[in-house]
Amino acid sequence: VLLIYSAWKLARHSDGFDPQKLMNRLNARHVSPLIAVFLVIAYHVGLGLFGGGFVGVDIFFVISGFVITRQLYKEVKREGHVSLLGFYARRAKRLLPAASVVLAASAVMTWLFLPKIRWQNDGGDIATSAFYFINWHLIGRSVNYLAEDEPPSVVQHFWSLAIEEQFYLVWPVLI
């Protein structure tokens, strides 16, 4: 998708398609997330390239931290401070629409397709995911992400987003 988008953008803004320009655009900023996505997908389809499959998630955390820190640093350099309201509004605008759709769909699918015995746990998981505290909720229930003896939460994948957003509650204040 990234290659197609980059090629389209180059073709739109130049006199023709230049493969060298495309390769220059595909720098580490673009390639690193692709590697991270590959590693996460590889783990979930059972390739097991790295134990636990968390390398991809770690790469996402590093890239995200770098990008946000750079944005915050530029804002401090330009404005003299970080607008916390502006920062959190940008995060909400970026994350809440998609997260809301996923959580609403998860709730509906849970109600339609899962047995009633799962409704209470998954409902609590969905609610805590909405506030980006699913990781603490799962820890409180002693849920192991890699456990194979019980079905995972319908929103267990939100744990990494919760950790990231909890970090961003603190990080802008420190910068």
Side-chain angles (χ1 to χ4, degrees):
V1 172
L2 180 62
L3 287 170
I4 293 168
Y5 173 73
S6 295
W8 171 78
K9 222 173 158 183
L10 283 173
R12 219 179 91 206
H13 296 294
S14 67
D15 296 331
F17 178 75
D18 182 353
Q20 186 58 46
K21 283 184 183 177
L22 177 60
M23 293 313 294
N24 289 342
R25 287 184 65 84
L26 293 175
N27 56 29
R29 181 180 63 170
H30 296 104
V31 174
S32 298
L34 292 175
I35 292 169
V37 167
F38 170 75
L39 291 171
V40 170
I41 291 171
Y43 167 73
H44 284 288
V45 297
L47 294 181
L49 298 175
F50 297 97
F54 293 109
V55 172
V57 175
D58 290 347
I59 292 171
F60 275 121
F61 283 156
V62 170
I63 293 168
S64 178
F66 174 78
V67 169
I68 294 293
T69 301
R70 194 172 90 187
Q71 289 173 351
L72 292 170
Y73 175 75
K74 285 181 178 180
E75 184 176 348
V76 167
K77 195 172 178 183
R78 186 180 61 250
E79 304 293 333
H81 69 284
V82 172
S83 166
L84 295 177
L85 182 62
F87 174 78
Y88 295 126
R90 288 188 301 273
R91 297 294 295 168
K93 183 179 177 183
R94 185 176 148 268
L95 295 174
L96 291 181
S100 298
V101 169
V102 168
L103 294 174
S106 297
V108 169
M109 296 298 195
T110 296
W111 182 70
L112 288 175
F113 298 111
L114 294 180
K116 286 184 181 182
I117 196 162
R118 297 257 330 251
W119 290 3
Q120 184 175 1
N121 275 346
D122 286 339
D125 295 350
I126 292 167
T128 56
S129 292
F131 295 101
Y132 298 108
F133 285 100
I134 183 69
N135 57 320
W136 293 108
H137 182 68
L138 294 174
I139 289 168
R141 287 194 7 234
S142 299
V143 173
N144 178 351
Y145 187 80
L146 302 175
E148 296 180 9
D149 56 339
E150 65 179 65
S153 166
V154 294
V155 289
Q156 189 161 322
H157 57 283
F158 264 74
W159 72 268
S160 61
L161 185 58
I163 291 170
E164 185 178 357
E165 291 312 304
Q166 290 162 28
F167 175 74
Y168 293 134
L169 286 174
V170 177
W171 193 235
V173 175
L174 295 177
I175 292 191

